[in-house]
């Protein structure tokens, strides 16, 4: 899988800090104000840029609460343009164990993908082409931001060594491509529920 594809997938991912035993949000939580910063590596493990993601705001539609994420990617050598994208994550009241992502192809067309379905079952496969994942228990995993227990590796189907790594209470902490790290979490700000509610009321901006 080319690195650009993994950048795009990582853009769909950002998250942390809302815990429920029966909800997918124990590993993929959604909360206004959360922010993550990742270092991006090339195939030789050399840093080539950074990726920052922040949950800017939320809004309700029917029984679904949508969370708006802003992603910004930049490269050290300036060879690539700074990319900024807007993505929606959500889950419905009727299906709290699944987090979906809505990604926009253009102003009039979008796709809803099943991003994470977690039942604490090792080897569970979910989603549909072109975004099908198998959830594998990984255990402890270390990134520059720290070491985390009980992590899961979300292996992208069609590849033996490409996928996403999520940690409880934190969310996405890294990605792998062909067995090598591409994204690694270096910093995170995870707000409390009261902080999130306040930012919604005050119209917090990125």
């Amino acid at each position: 899988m080319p690195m650009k594809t993994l950048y795009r997938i990582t853009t769909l991912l950002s998250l942390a800090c809302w815990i429920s035993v029966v909800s997918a949000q124990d590993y993929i939580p959604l909360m206004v104000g959360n922010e993550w910063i990742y270092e991006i590596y090339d195939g030789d493990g050399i840093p080539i840029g950074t990726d920052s993601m922040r949950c800017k705001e939320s809004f309700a539609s029917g029984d679904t609460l949508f969370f708006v994420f802003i992603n910004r990617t930049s490269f050290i050598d300036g060879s690539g343009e700074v990319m900024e994208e807007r993505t929606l994550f959500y889950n419905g009241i009727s299906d709290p164990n699944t987090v979906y992502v809505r990604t926009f192809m253009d102003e009039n067309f979008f796709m809803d993908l099943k991003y994470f379905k977690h039942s604490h079952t090792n080897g569970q496969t979910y989603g549909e082409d072109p975004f099908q994942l198998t959830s594998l228990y990984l255990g402890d995993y270390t990134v520059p931001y720290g070491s985390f227990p009980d992590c899961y590796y979300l292996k992208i189907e069609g590849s033996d060594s490409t996928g996403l790594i999520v940690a409880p209470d934190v969310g996405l902490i890294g990605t792998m491509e062909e067995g090598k790290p591409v994204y690694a979490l270096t910093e995170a700000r995870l707000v409390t529920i009261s902080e999130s509610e306040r930012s919604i009321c005050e119209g917090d901006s990125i």
Side-chain angles (χ1 to χ4, degrees):
M1 176 179 293
M3 190 172 291
K4 275 189 174 180
T5 302
L6 205 48
Y7 291 160
R8 176 61 181 167
I9 291 173
T10 304
T11 296
L12 304 180
L13 321 165
S14 28
L15 326 136
C17 193
W18 192 351
I19 308 306
S20 173
V21 173
V22 296
S23 171
Q25 294 196 43
D26 52 1
Y27 277 79
I28 307 298
L30 306 171
M31 188 168 290
V32 173
N34 281 348
E35 185 174 11
W36 302 258
I37 298 175
Y38 303 89
E39 194 152 56
I40 306 170
Y41 302 95
D42 65 11
D44 296 320
I46 299 173
I48 59 172
T50 60
D51 190 286
S52 64
M53 290 178 283
R54 186 167 188 256
C55 183
K56 180 182 179 182
E57 60 190 4
S58 65
F59 64 91
S61 178
D63 69 348
T64 301
L65 185 61
F66 289 88
F67 294 83
V68 180
F69 281 84
I70 301 297
N71 169 270
R72 185 177 174 86
T73 304
S74 60
F75 297 93
I76 293 173
D77 62 4
S79 60
E81 62 178 310
V82 174
M83 298 179 292
E84 186 168 301
E85 301 187 57
R86 176 179 180 269
T87 306
L88 300 180
F89 283 85
Y90 68 95
N91 69 346
I93 294 174
S94 61
D95 188 15
N97 197 38
T98 303
V99 170
Y100 297 85
V101 61
R102 175 171 293 181
T103 179
F104 293 86
M105 305 297 109
D106 56 41
E107 292 184 359
N108 300 311
F109 179 72
F110 61 83
M111 293 179 63
D112 285 332
L113 302 173
K114 188 178 291 185
Y115 175 64
F116 189 64
K117 184 176 180 65
H118 189 56
S119 59
H120 303 274
T121 301
N122 189 42
Q124 176 178 238
T125 298
Y126 57 92
E128 299 176 357
D129 288 336
F131 199 63
Q132 189 174 52
L133 303 171
T134 297
S135 179
L136 302 172
Y137 183 74
L138 185 62
D140 296 342
Y141 192 80
T142 300
V143 292
Y145 188 61
S147 297
F148 301 94
D150 296 325
C151 296
Y152 272 80
Y153 174 58
L154 311 181
K155 184 175 76 71
I156 298 174
E157 287 302 295
S159 171
D160 292 330
S161 54
T162 297
L164 320 168
I165 299 163
V166 294
D169 303 349
V170 181
L172 179 75
I173 61 172
T175 69
M176 301 285 287
E177 182 176 351
E178 298 180 355
K180 298 179 180 180
V182 176
Y183 276 66
L185 184 67
T186 60
E187 187 178 347
R189 177 180 182 265
L190 310 178
V191 304
T192 64
I193 292 177
S194 59
E195 287 177 316
S196 179
E197 291 172 343
R198 184 173 64 251
S199 67
I200 294 173
C201 294
E202 295 175 350
D204 192 22
S205 61
I206 188 167

